[in-house]
Amino acid sequence: MKLKLLFSCLLSAGIGAQLSAQETVDPVMVQKIREEGLNHSKVMETAFYLTDVSGPRLSGSPGLKRAQNWAVEQLKTWGIANAKLESWGKFGKGWEVQKNYAAITVPYYHAIIAIPKAWTPGTGGLIKGDIMVVKADSAAELGKYKGKLAGKIVIFDTKPLTERTFKSDAARYTDEELDKMEKATMAPARQRTAFDPNSPQFAAMRKQRAFRTMLGTFLQDEKVALVLSQARGTDGTVFTTNGASYADTAKAVAPELETSSEDFQRILRLVNAGKPVQLEADIKTQFFTDDLQGYDVVGEIPGTDKKLKDQVVMIGGHLDSWHAGTGATDNAAGSAVMLEAMRILKAIGFKPKRTIRIALWSSEEQGLFGSRGYVLNHFGDPKTMELKPEQAKLSAYYNLDNGTGKIRGIYLQGDSAAGPIFKAYLEPFKDLGATTVTVGNTGGTDHQSFDAVGIPGFQFIQDAIDYGSRTHHSNQDTYDRLIEDDLKQAATIIASFVYNTSQRQEMIPRKELPKPQPARGF
């Protein structure tokens, strides 16, 4: 009875969508996708292998390679064609943490929460010593410490964080917020004053960068044993970053631990009060230079229509992560959902008109390198807008990279002509909370690489949950943070989007080609 009622609702939704948007949505196929995606899902099993089994997936690391190799083999198991690793170009050194222990031992024992900064060296064994406060934010002030820091454990006089709030970490979009998105119009392009070499912002950034570079060189030359820096985050959450470059030509730096704000400030208060604080630490990290190339995971369901099989629909998300957790919400969630979407389509025996291709990117965290390299190799160069023949054959690229939250709609990225089409695609999923189509842009992830060369590239609207406040790039980003029902919903909706895009008579409409985008720098 429930299935008949659901079929009736889907049929009505499909007819309504066709009348309102002139876009056909097949209710029978949508029902098959829903049945497989919601009731026979493998998405959490996939997420388990990408996180708990593979471990942290920093670019170039053994953990990322484990996840990439597993994904290729899993795609093959599901019957996905041409599953392989594809090089996008040179990345640099791999790196991983192999041991991480740090504790204060005086005035009492306390194991601190601290994560080695990416691409920094280890301590070369167990070290012990007093912690020394350095107070300097200029070259002149640093000069006071010349010859005094060799073998020292250094902490900088840093103000406490002020980001603590009393709001819930996890939240979903309200109806009012989604309605506001729906009604939004395209904002005018912002003036990039920060990139004006004569602007105060540019001058400040240049000064700050110069000091950081000088500080790193100074600490290394002084042979500091270990640096403690205050991490962003509260309540034991450590948001990690890199402490050195991944380039194979990068200069050596001092070992550095990104320390929880609570532990950092406790140590600092004690030392500034004249109380001796001693710390012991044993940090082991390893660099990997045997293969400096970066790779993406790719696979296809080949098209079957004689006229359309050379055209392509792409889906993707980035597989690399940071190293403090296992990168569950950023972005094993998106990768698992996209893998699941491919599995769903194969499981229901779908034979698309257009080719469907998945890509799991690497080095997104360092600057969208995996997707940018792929776009450069296959579609064109955004710096010159010299386009390759494949650019004209890609109907759309769909991306997922905003945590574990369920899909609530889609950003059009200014492609307003696609709005009525996507409204029809979402119509059968109102009961799952996905309704919103907004013309607005969203940034910071791989759909931008496609948009930059005139290919329709889209990111889905997702409930934020605790992505920005707790899990994004942090030691809290683990499998436990994933919401199973949300990932099932997302994979089902994306599989349906892919089905519809692959079958429609025309490709997804395109915006006007962007102008060349010369590289900018500081």
Side-chain angles (χ1 to χ4, degrees):
M1 183 66 180
K2 288 182 178 179
L3 284 176
K4 288 183 179 179
L5 179 60
L6 178 57
F7 182 87
S8 177
C9 290
L10 290 169
L11 183 60
S12 297
I15 293 171
Q18 186 175 0
L19 291 175
S20 63
Q22 300 300 308
E23 192 71 23
T24 301
V25 176
D26 183 349
V28 175
M29 184 57 75
V30 171
Q31 172 55 21
K32 287 182 179 179
I33 290 171
R34 285 179 65 119
E35 172 64 23
E36 183 63 33
L38 299 179
N39 297 326
H40 306 283
S41 177
K42 302 290 186 184
V43 71
M44 295 305 289
E45 180 181 331
T46 296
F48 166 70
Y49 278 95
L50 296 182
T51 57
D52 290 348
V53 177
S54 297
R57 303 180 307 281
L58 190 74
S59 290
S61 70
L64 178 60
K65 292 184 179 182
R66 283 192 293 270
Q68 289 174 325
N69 290 332
W70 180 87
V72 169
E73 292 307 309
Q74 193 59 48
L75 287 168
K76 290 178 180 178
T77 299
W78 291 333
I80 304 300
N82 305 318
K84 62 181 180 179
L85 294 178
E86 180 178 324
S87 175
W88 51 261
K90 183 178 178 180
F91 171 68
K93 296 181 291 187
W95 178 91
E96 73 173 2
V97 179
Q98 297 182 341
K99 189 174 185 179
N100 179 25
Y101 165 71
I104 58 172
T105 55
V106 173
Y108 43 77
Y109 180 86
H110 169 64
I112 66 173
I113 300 173
I115 313 294
K117 281 194 172 185
W119 291 288
T120 59
T123 56
L126 182 67
I127 61 169
K128 300 180 180 181
D130 293 327
I131 296 179
M132 179 177 179
V133 175
V134 172
K135 301 180 180 181
D137 57 9
S138 68
E141 290 176 332
L142 267 183
K144 298 183 298 184
Y145 297 95
K146 190 171 180 60
K148 300 178 181 179
L149 300 181
K152 300 293 184 182
I153 300 170
V154 169
I155 189 171
F156 289 90
D157 196 15
T158 307
K159 293 180 180 179
L161 297 171
T162 58
E163 64 183 60
R164 187 178 177 91
T165 68
F166 297 95
K167 296 180 180 178
S168 171
D169 274 346
R172 295 194 186 276
Y173 281 117
T174 65
D175 291 342
E176 291 76 17
E177 289 170 329
L178 291 171
D179 185 61
K180 187 176 180 180
M181 284 188 188
E182 187 88 48
K183 294 176 180 177
T185 58
M186 285 295 295
R190 291 181 295 175
Q191 294 297 316
R192 300 184 182 274
T193 55
F195 297 99
D196 179 355
N198 299 315
S199 70
Q201 296 97 323
F202 185 93
M205 285 188 287
R206 185 168 51 192
K207 181 178 178 181
Q208 186 180 43
R209 281 194 170 194
F211 179 72
R212 283 202 303 263
T213 301
M214 180 185 62
L215 177 62
T217 301
F218 180 82
L219 295 174
Q220 173 67 11
D221 290 346
E222 291 295 304
K223 296 181 171 54
V224 168
L226 180 64
V227 178
L228 302 181
S229 58
Q230 180 173 231
R232 184 175 65 85
T234 59
D235 305 319
T237 298
V238 172
F239 292 93
T240 47
T241 57
N242 61 297
S245 171
Y246 48 80
D248 57 318
T249 56
K251 295 180 180 179
V253 298
E256 185 171 356
L257 285 178
E258 210 152 17
T259 309
S260 74
S261 59
E262 294 86 0
D263 285 333
F264 186 95
Q265 288 298 324
R266 184 199 303 198
I267 293 168
L268 188 59
R269 285 192 299 269
L270 286 166
V271 178
N272 281 339
K275 308 295 182 182
V277 180
Q278 293 181 358
L279 181 137
E280 63 180 19
D282 190 355
I283 313 300
K284 183 180 180 182
T285 66
Q286 183 173 346
F287 293 89
F288 300 90
T289 58
D290 55 323
D291 185 357
L292 300 177
Q293 295 296 296
Y295 297 90
D296 299 320
V297 174
V298 295
E300 294 180 335
I301 302 175
T304 58
D305 185 276
K306 291 182 179 180
K307 294 182 179 179
L308 300 179
K309 64 182 181 181
D310 289 338
Q311 296 179 8
V312 178
V313 181
M314 282 194 71
I315 60 173
H318 73 90
L319 189 54
D320 63 301
S321 75
W322 286 94
H323 57 290
T326 53
T329 68
D330 187 27
N331 182 39
S335 295
V337 163
M338 292 308 188
L339 287 166
E340 175 69 359
M342 296 292 279
R343 187 201 67 81
I344 290 169
L345 295 172
K346 283 297 292 185
I348 64 175
F350 175 49
K351 299 186 184 301
K353 291 180 179 179
R354 293 180 176 86
T355 294
I356 298 169
R357 183 180 301 157
I358 185 174
L360 303 181
W361 314 112
S362 66
S363 304
E364 186 269 356
E365 299 293 1
Q366 285 68 53
L368 313 184
F369 291 161
S371 59
R372 284 178 171 172
Y374 186 90
V375 166
L376 184 64
N377 293 336
H378 287 269
F379 303 123
D381 188 346
K383 295 177 183 178
T384 62
M385 286 307 294
E386 293 180 7
L387 304 177
K388 298 184 177 183
E390 286 182 73
Q391 190 269 359
K393 296 180 180 180
L394 183 56
S395 179
Y397 170 74
Y398 299 111
N399 194 76
L400 198 70
D401 180 24
N402 285 148
T404 188
K406 69 168 62 174
I407 286 175
R408 306 304 301 276
I410 192 167
Y411 296 97
L412 292 179
Q413 209 72 18
D415 191 353
S416 57
I421 298 168
F422 292 161
K423 268 292 186 183
Y425 291 180
L426 288 172
E427 187 71 24
F429 300 102
K430 282 186 175 182
D431 63 315
L432 300 184
T435 60
T436 303
V437 175
T438 178
V439 74
N441 292 348
T442 187
T445 191
D446 293 291
H447 68 289
Q448 292 181 294
S449 300
F450 293 82
D451 187 64
V453 293
I455 294 170
F458 306 100
Q459 166 75 21
F460 290 92
I461 302 168
Q462 292 175 262
D463 282 328
I465 311 297
D466 52 5
Y467 187 61
S469 61
R470 188 61 54 186
T471 66
H472 183 242
H473 299 181
S474 84
N475 59 335
Q476 302 290 332
D477 195 6
T478 63
Y479 178 94
D480 314 85
R481 297 284 180 169
L482 299 176
I483 301 173
E484 182 173 358
D485 286 345
D486 286 13
L487 299 186
K488 288 180 179 179
Q489 181 253 27
T492 301
I493 291 173
I494 290 173
S496 182
F497 261 69
V498 172
Y499 161 75
N500 286 306
T501 308
S502 68
Q503 298 300 92
R504 75 188 308 268
Q505 185 174 351
E506 304 294 335
M507 295 201 303
I508 297 298
R510 298 188 170 197
K511 302 182 293 186
E512 182 181 347
L513 275 176
K515 293 181 172 57
Q517 302 174 20
R520 296 188 302 266
F522 296 123

